[in-house]
Structures are given as structure tokens and as C-alpha cells.
Amino acid sequence: MPPSWSEQWWPVAYLCDLDRGRPSRFTLLERDLVLWWDREAGQWRAFDDVCPHRLVPLSEGRINAEGQLECPYHGWSFDGSGHCRRIPQMTEEARPEGRRSSCRSLPTASAQGLLFVWSGDPASADPAALPLVPVLQEQGEGWADGWVVQDTFRDLPMDALTLLENVLDVSHVPFTHHRTVGRRDNAAPVQAEITREDGTGFEAFWQEGPRRGKLGSQATCFRAPQLMWHDLTAKGFARILTVVYAVPIRPGECRLFARFPFQFQAAAPRVLLGLRPRWLQHIGNHKVLEDDQVFLHWQERVLEAAGGSAAAEKAFYLPTASDCYVAALHRWVQRQGGGPFPGRALPPRQGLEALMDRERSHTRHCRSCSGALQRLRALRPWLIAMLWLSAALVGLGQWGWISAVGLGLALASGLALRQLGRWEQGLLAGDGQAPRNHE
């Protein structure tokens, strides 16, 4: 693997989605990790997700009363440095510490609400070099300078490079995302230009900007290999960023971390945005992500058959300035020795049902969405009981005012059950019906 991919800080989770009371699992560059809160040191830890004893995943274990990571198989316990502190099967005179009884620990750091893990040589890890968005400064539990930040994440069935290629490409939005976040009648020539290009990535500028100039000029930055953002200021409304981290999991799979920072010029939009629950926002985000998901999953396999990123310039036909972002991305890949999994084949294509999954790719890992799913399922029996109660009221009321109350209760309960079902389905799976194709 080229060092441009292996010697990096990678985001692995939003801090708000991690539970300090239990370990979590994440796969980074085909390396299974366990993430857990070290109570003694007051920081998040990342270990290889394997117990040195019998090689079972530590992520299936627990944080014990001593605040140590405990293996689920035989109860071996490890401190934040990876040293084994207890082997229950060992006599009191023996010492559990030792090189072979230790876990391998990876450097971690937290910033801008994200947990980062260093994938390279631990001696080279520099927390000052975290890939962050410079204009976003933290202030207490929130953000300085009036920023309001919405975020989401999802495990996507595509390479990180395919994701980056997609989110850097500004010209696809009016067509792919028609009726979600775009409109076809906003399509126009994109006269963008690369203003800086080197081993660290590139910057680009689009003078006219989206929606035929209605939102103002847009600047783009790609900080290789994992981070990009678009930056524009809509006059009289807000400064708006679209931020994406593309984190390689394995060939054909990556985790997207997307952030949508707004710096509103008025207070009302900031208040309204804060009223929407995070889980409900995530359902809307899923619909936008699924606009691209099916055809990108297919497209990268066609490119692979043509020779992959190394052959992109020949395989793609890029006749307009709008393609400068994609061309610059693949030039960077070739200068740095290729993608994160050189010579590795993509897995077979997945069917629509797997591509539309939201529960495994997001909900179970998101504290907001998993909590909402539990609450919605707990509410369903009560709404069903209200329907039975309303039927009883209608029957007992002999079409008087009690029957009217029963009918009203039945209508409210039925509508609530219908909406509850829609929300529950929105947390579990998409329908595979792109809104752009239904107009």
C-alpha cells in the first residue's frame, strides 16, 4: 500500500455516536479495530480487534469495573496501553504482563467532533497534522463564529476513490439529484479551473457557482487522500460548506463522513435547523446518497475492467472544464503510486436490496438513529391499543359524542401508525426509486 494511504490520520467515528460504556468495531484499510474509552487516561483507544490469547474479537467484549477492555472468551483484561492486567486462569503469583499477552495499540486523537486513528508507524503520528477543515473552530460543546454543523455517515458499497470522484464532481448535481437537492433546469456549463495542484491535493475555483450563479462562486479543496470540501457564500443567506471524508474499509467499501456547516446571516434559519432531530435529518441524507449509489457501484467495476484509475484518462471521455476535478483526482492518485488497495479486485456486484440497506450501513452504528428506531418500535403497541380503544368507543357510543371521540382517536392513531411505519422503514432501507426518474 502506498504511504500516501497508509501513513495517515483517518476519521473512524463521530464522538457523539461512540458509547463510553462499551467497545465499538471499525475496519480501516482491511484492518479490524476495536475502539473503546480508557477511563483512567480519559481518552479513546484503538486496538487491533483480536485477543492475543485465542484470537477472538475484543469488540465482542466489555469495559469491566476497572475500566479495562475485557475479552469475552476468557476474561483477559487490557489497559489503555494494551498491556494485559488480568488473566483469571493464572495464579496470583504469576504476572499477566508480557509482550505476547499485549494488544497492539494505534495512536488516536479527537478534533472537530471526530475520532481519528493513525494507520501508519506510531512513531510518525503527529496530532497537529489531523485532516481538519480550517474554518471550523470548536468552542465548548459547539462551534465558534456562528457555525451550525449537520453531519451524517454511511458505509458505502464503493471504493473511497469512487466516492471522492463523485463528491468532487459539481456538474452531476442537477441531474443525479434532481428533486432531492438539485434541479435539471439549473444545469449549465461549469467553467471551473484548478488553481493549485501538488502532492498534498488540489484546489479549484468555479466563478459562476451552482444554480447558474444564484448562490455565488464556489471554491473546492481536496486534501489528500481523505478529505474534500466545497465552500460558497450565498449572498444574504449563509456561507455553506459541503465536507466529505472518504475512509477506505476494504476493496469496494468505504465509510463516508459528510458534514454540512452553515454560517447563517440571520438567526431564524439557525433556530429552524436545530429543531429537526438528527435521526430525521439522516433519513433525508440517505435519500440523497442513494441517488448515486446504484450506478456508482456498477461504474467502478466497469472502470476496473478498463484498467482502474491508471487508465482513467483513457477510459473516461472528459471534454469539458467541469471534468477538471475528476482529472485532477486521478492525476494525484497516479503520482502517489495508486489507490489504497493496489492489485486487489473488487467484490462481485451486489443486488438492489443490499445496496439500499440502511440498518447495517448506518442505523446500528448511529446512536441517534438506533435510539429513534427503539422508540418507534416501543410506540407501535400503544398506537395499536389506541385503535382498539377507539373501536370500543365507537361501538359503545351508539353514534353519539363518544362515538365521535372514538372516530377521531382512530383517525389520529391510524395516521400516527402510518407515519411511524414510514420513519421505521426510512431507518432500515431505501426503496431504490430515484426521485429523478419519477417526474
Side-chain angles (χ1 to χ4, degrees):
M1 183 183 300
S4 53
W5 295 94
S6 60
E7 300 290 312
Q8 292 291 338
W9 286 105
W10 297 98
V12 294
Y14 289 116
L15 295 175
C16 64
D17 289 316
L18 293 171
D19 186 345
R20 293 187 177 186
R22 57 185 298 181
S24 302
R25 177 186 299 139
F26 186 73
T27 301
L28 173 64
L29 295 165
E30 296 190 290
R31 185 174 181 178
D32 294 328
L33 304 177
V34 56
L35 314 173
W36 64 285
W37 178 253
D38 180 2
R39 191 171 66 207
E40 183 178 355
Q43 69 179 85
W44 289 99
R45 301 291 191 180
F47 290 176
D48 281 335
D49 192 14
V50 58
C51 179
H53 177 213
R54 296 277 291 280
L55 310 183
V56 302
L58 291 167
S59 57
E60 292 294 322
R62 66 173 188 137
I63 310 300
N64 63 22
E66 290 72 37
Q68 297 168 354
L69 180 61
E70 184 178 287
C71 176
Y73 204 4
H74 297 94
W76 288 30
S77 300
F78 304 90
D79 66 16
S81 299
H83 299 305
C84 184
R85 292 304 182 193
R86 181 170 182 264
I87 298 177
Q89 299 78 19
M90 185 175 282
T91 62
E92 293 184 3
E93 296 79 17
R95 295 178 59 85
E97 301 92 342
R99 182 182 63 83
R100 293 200 62 190
S101 65
S102 296
C103 295
R104 186 174 179 185
S105 177
L106 286 72
T108 61
S110 300
Q112 293 188 348
L114 287 160
L115 174 63
F116 291 86
V117 171
W118 175 260
S119 59
D121 179 0
S124 302
D126 179 9
L130 293 176
L132 302 174
V133 181
V135 298
L136 296 179
Q137 299 297 320
E138 297 172 273
Q139 186 173 25
E141 297 296 318
W143 303 92
D145 304 320
W147 285 102
V148 178
V149 180
Q150 293 189 322
D151 56 49
T152 191
F153 70 92
R154 181 163 171 168
D155 294 339
L156 300 178
M158 65 191 74
D159 269 346
L161 280 176
T162 303
L163 171 60
L164 286 168
E165 185 183 285
N166 173 251
V167 295
L168 284 165
D169 173 18
V170 299
S171 63
H172 82 286
V173 175
F175 296 98
T176 301
H177 300 295
H178 176 67
R179 299 187 65 206
T180 50
V181 293
R183 299 290 301 178
R184 291 191 187 103
D185 54 13
N186 285 327
V190 176
Q191 298 301 316
E193 61 177 341
I194 304 298
T195 57
R196 178 191 65 81
E197 185 174 2
D198 56 32
T200 66
F202 64 82
E203 295 177 1
F205 187 71
W206 179 16
Q207 179 65 46
E208 183 183 42
R211 300 186 186 179
R212 295 179 176 268
K214 295 176 184 176
L215 296 181
S217 301
Q218 179 170 282
T220 297
C221 179
F222 168 54
R223 175 172 173 176
Q226 70 279 73
L227 171 63
M228 64 74 56
W229 67 86
H230 300 302
D231 184 354
L232 66 84
T233 299
K235 296 177 182 177
F237 179 59
R239 185 178 180 184
I240 305 168
L241 272 63
T242 301
V243 180
V244 169
Y245 291 90
V247 182
I249 295 176
R250 58 182 60 89
E253 187 177 355
C254 71
R255 176 166 288 188
L256 159 109
F257 291 96
R259 317 197 88 159
F260 309 101
F262 299 87
Q263 195 177 48
F264 294 110
Q265 296 184 13
R270 184 183 306 115
V271 173
L272 291 173
L273 203 65
L275 294 176
R276 192 182 193 190
R278 186 172 180 245
W279 64 269
L280 200 56
Q281 172 224 318
H282 285 179
I283 291 177
N285 296 145
H286 283 310
K287 197 64 181 176
V288 177
L289 290 171
E290 289 161 4
D291 282 343
D292 318 80
Q293 190 144 291
V294 174
F295 65 70
L296 290 178
H297 181 71
W298 282 62
Q299 176 232 350
E300 68 177 0
R301 283 155 179 78
V302 178
L303 179 59
E304 179 187 48
S309 178
E313 187 174 351
K314 182 178 179 181
F316 295 154
Y317 176 51
L318 308 176
T320 71
S322 66
D323 296 314
C324 68
Y325 306 89
V326 173
L329 173 66
H330 285 286
R331 285 196 298 269
W332 177 85
V333 172
Q334 297 319 304
R335 286 197 300 267
Q336 301 305 313
F341 307 110
R344 299 290 304 282
L346 293 170
R349 285 175 176 155
Q350 298 181 31
L352 184 62
E353 182 178 352
L355 295 176
M356 291 297 106
D357 165 74
R358 298 177 182 177
E359 197 279 329
R360 288 186 297 275
S361 63
H362 172 82
T363 298
R364 67 174 58 176
H365 308 293
C366 174
R367 296 188 76 179
S368 301
C369 292
S370 59
L373 185 60
Q374 289 179 346
R375 293 190 296 272
L376 291 172
R377 286 175 169 171
L379 182 59
R380 181 181 295 277
W382 291 96
L383 293 175
I384 294 174
M386 288 177 65
L387 280 176
W388 283 103
L389 175 62
S390 64
L393 290 174
V394 170
L396 293 172
Q398 299 182 352
W399 300 107
W401 67 269
I402 294 179
S403 294
V405 170
L407 288 172
L409 183 61
L411 178 62
S413 301
L415 291 174
L417 273 170
R418 182 185 181 191
Q419 185 58 57
L420 184 149
R422 288 177 174 174
W423 282 337
E424 184 175 352
Q425 182 62 30
L427 292 167
L428 296 176
D431 59 14
Q433 302 298 313
R436 65 177 177 271
N437 296 331
H438 298 275
E439 184 177 81

